[in-house]
């Protein structure tokens, strides 16, 4: 198949990660979820606490402001911009290597110039997301609701910090899918069928 990149943004609890993994396995291509990308970011020298603050929309001054030195990464006067730059560079390098599925990390926006690309967003009704999180995390309904609210806020802030746009902006997506309509397997097969059509076009 052509060097196709599939980006999947997803609401927490909509099972986008499972769907993306199934798509990658069925197509025989690489799969990069948030944990894989986070590990690479950590390996290149960005401390976890700094990346977490960046994702929360916090502007972090480096050595230039107070002379605070925290390892090699702190030599940059603006740690926020550097952290964002590194994350974008990692996403682009992963996509340049070979066909792959990339989950989250605003890859839809970062790779908008890549061709060919399919940019998906997977969502579900709130009641379905709550049920899924209750089952996957063994939580009460109230705790599942709180976790979803927390994750939604965090992901929205992260996307805004990286792209300057709202996470739900449809202009950076090719297709939006309610995963509760067909389930994990059905949604994965729908995406795979779309991939074949795009590659044949």
């Amino acid at each position: 198949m052509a060097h196709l990149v599939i980006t999947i943004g997803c609401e927490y609890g909509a099972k986008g990660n499972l769907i993306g993994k199934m798509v990658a396995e069925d197509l025989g291509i690489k799969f990069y979820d948030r944990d894989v990308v986070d590990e690479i970011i950590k390996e290149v020298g960005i401390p976890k606490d700094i990346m977490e603050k960046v994702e929360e929309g916090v502007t972090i001054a480096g050595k230039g402001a107070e002379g605070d030195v925290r390892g090699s990464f702190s030599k940059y006067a603006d740690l926020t911009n550097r952290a964002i730059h590194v994350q974008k560079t990692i996403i682009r390098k992963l996509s340049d290597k070979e066909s792959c599925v990339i989950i989250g990390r605003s890859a839809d926006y970062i790779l908008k110039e890549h061709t060919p690309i399919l940019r998906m967003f997977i969502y579900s009704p709130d009641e379905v997301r709550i049920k899924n999180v209750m089952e996957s995390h063994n939580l009460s309904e109230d705790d599942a609701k709180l976790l979803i609210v927390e994750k939604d806020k965090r992901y929205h802030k992260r996307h805004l910090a990286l792209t300057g746009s709202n996470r739900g902006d449809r202009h950076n997506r090719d297709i939006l899918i309610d995963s509760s309509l067909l389930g994990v397997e059905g949604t994965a097969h729908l995406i795979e069928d779309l991939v074949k059509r795009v590659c044949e076009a």
Side-chain angles (χ1 to χ4, degrees):
M1 64 185 296
H3 181 167
L4 174 70
V5 173
I6 303 168
T7 67
I8 299 180
C10 49
E11 288 185 328
Y12 194 76
K15 298 193 174 182
N17 200 75
L18 286 174
I19 293 166
K21 189 172 185 179
M22 183 175 289
V23 169
E25 289 176 351
D26 289 348
L27 297 179
I29 61 178
K30 287 287 187 179
F31 174 72
Y32 301 109
D33 63 7
R34 292 185 180 94
D35 291 340
V36 172
V37 175
D38 286 351
E39 189 59 35
I40 297 172
I41 291 172
K42 183 179 177 182
E43 288 176 2
V44 299
I46 302 181
K48 184 178 179 180
D49 64 322
I50 288 179
M51 201 64 223
E52 287 178 349
K53 288 179 180 177
V54 169
E55 290 173 356
E56 293 168 0
V58 177
T59 298
I60 309 168
K63 187 177 179 181
E66 299 177 2
D68 179 33
V69 178
R70 290 179 292 174
S72 60
F73 189 69
S74 65
K75 67 183 179 181
Y76 300 101
D78 188 335
L79 302 188
T80 305
N81 287 340
R82 181 58 182 169
I84 290 173
H85 171 74
V86 168
Q87 181 166 320
K88 287 181 177 180
T89 299
I90 289 169
I91 294 292
R92 290 188 181 112
K93 284 185 176 180
L94 292 175
S95 68
D96 286 342
K97 289 167 60 178
E98 56 191 319
S99 295
C100 60
V101 174
I102 302 178
I103 302 292
R105 289 300 176 196
S106 302
D108 58 295
Y109 178 87
I110 294 168
L111 300 176
K112 61 184 178 180
E113 304 299 330
H114 182 96
T115 54
I117 188 169
L118 266 178
R119 300 174 299 170
M120 332 288 294
F121 189 80
I122 296 174
Y123 66 97
S124 285
D126 286 346
E127 61 270 20
V128 174
R129 298 170 64 199
I130 292 167
K131 180 175 179 292
N132 289 340
V133 172
M134 287 173 65
E135 292 175 353
S136 63
H137 290 67
N138 193 27
L139 295 175
S140 68
E141 182 175 347
D142 287 342
D143 286 343
K145 287 179 181 178
L146 287 173
L147 181 58
I148 288 172
V149 169
E150 177 189 325
K151 293 290 186 178
D152 282 350
K153 286 181 179 178
R154 185 184 186 108
Y155 291 163
H156 281 303
K157 284 183 178 180
R158 170 193 295 166
H159 192 79
L160 184 62
L162 283 166
T163 71
S165 63
N166 292 323
R167 186 165 176 255
D169 185 1
R170 69 185 184 280
H171 296 97
N172 290 322
R173 321 284 186 182
D174 297 310
I175 187 168
L176 285 73
I177 306 174
D178 177 355
S179 60
S180 70
L181 184 64
L182 299 174
V184 171
E185 188 173 343
T187 304
H189 291 165
L190 177 64
I191 294 173
E192 291 160 21
D193 183 59
L194 184 59
V195 166
K196 292 174 184 176
R197 291 174 182 268
V198 168
C199 289
E200 291 170 359

